[in-house]
Structure formats: structure tokens, C-alpha cells
Amino acid sequence: MFAYLDLRASLIEGGPAAYSCVAGTMVQEAFATSPAIRDACGTMFFEHAATLESDIQAAIDQHAPALEVTARSLAVHILVVLHGAFVVSKAGDDPQIVLDSIEHLRRYLRQLFTAEANHPKEKES
């Protein structure tokens, strides 16, 4: 999971056209008017998310998460964060927004899979 985020962060150079996703842009514009484009973009997103599932499942199996999560839902969430960051970085004309979002995602994943998060200390009365 973290290697994937490292890769995505390394691709953030130049303007949004250089690092954002054509399918994300297309589906934003055509989801209501072109079911064929919407479906093709959906296929791309969900097939991409599926490529992350085995690594996520390995993390789930090795480090029981603090909260119930499936590999599929977490893979889709990772893409949601990235693509949302792409959109907001376009609005702000600031690629740092994507890098910051990736760092927040790293923190979330670390917290989800750490022993301390899995076994929180009881509060003292």
C-alpha cells in the first residue's frame, strides 16, 4: 500500500494535466449524458482498485485493522482520496494538495493498521 502511495506521489510533477486522470475528468463531465463513457470510466476505476486488493488483503491478514474494513472498500477509498485530490488541486492550481492528501492517507493507513490502534488502552476512571 505504501509503495503504491510512494509511486503516486512521485508522479506529481508539473500541472494537473501531467498527473491527473483523464477518466476522472471525462466521467465528471459525461456521467449523466453518456452512459457508455460513465461505464468505461467506472470499469477503469474499479479494475485499477482491484490491482490494490491483494496487497491490502495481505495487510489486513497480517495486521488486523482497528476497524472492520474490506480490501475492496479500502482500495476504492484510496482511489477516491487520490482522485478527489486531483480535482481540488485543479481548483487550487496547486499540486501540493495531492501530496498533502497522500500524506494524510498514509497517516490514516498507519493508524488503521498499528497495534496501538488495534488494542487501545482502557481509559482510567
Side-chain angles (χ1 to χ4, degrees):
M1 291 182 306
F2 293 106
Y4 175 77
L5 295 178
D6 291 342
L7 171 67
R8 295 308 298 243
S10 75
L11 298 174
I12 308 304
E13 296 180 0
Y19 60 79
S20 64
C21 175
V22 172
T25 301
M26 288 176 59
V27 76
Q28 282 176 285
E29 296 299 322
F31 76 96
T33 59
S34 177
I37 290 175
R38 181 196 60 230
D39 293 347
C41 293
T43 297
M44 190 279 312
F45 283 123
F46 295 115
E47 285 180 357
H48 184 84
T51 68
L52 304 176
E53 288 182 33
S54 63
D55 289 337
I56 294 169
Q57 188 61 55
I60 290 169
D61 293 344
Q62 189 172 10
H63 309 281
L67 303 170
E68 189 173 324
V69 64
T70 66
R72 178 166 171 74
S73 69
L74 192 50
V76 171
H77 177 66
I78 289 169
L79 291 185
V80 167
V81 170
L82 290 171
H83 288 276
F86 296 158
V87 170
V88 176
S89 76
K90 288 176 183 179
D93 193 25
D94 184 1
Q96 187 62 43
I97 290 169
V98 179
L99 296 172
D100 291 346
S101 294
I102 291 171
E103 189 56 35
H104 286 297
L105 185 54
R106 285 182 216 270
R107 287 186 203 116
Y108 168 72
L109 292 171
R110 282 188 198 109
Q111 187 174 16
L112 183 64
F113 288 101
T114 62
E116 184 177 312
N118 295 334
H119 307 288
K121 295 178 184 176
E122 292 184 28
K123 294 181 182 178
E124 294 182 21
S125 305

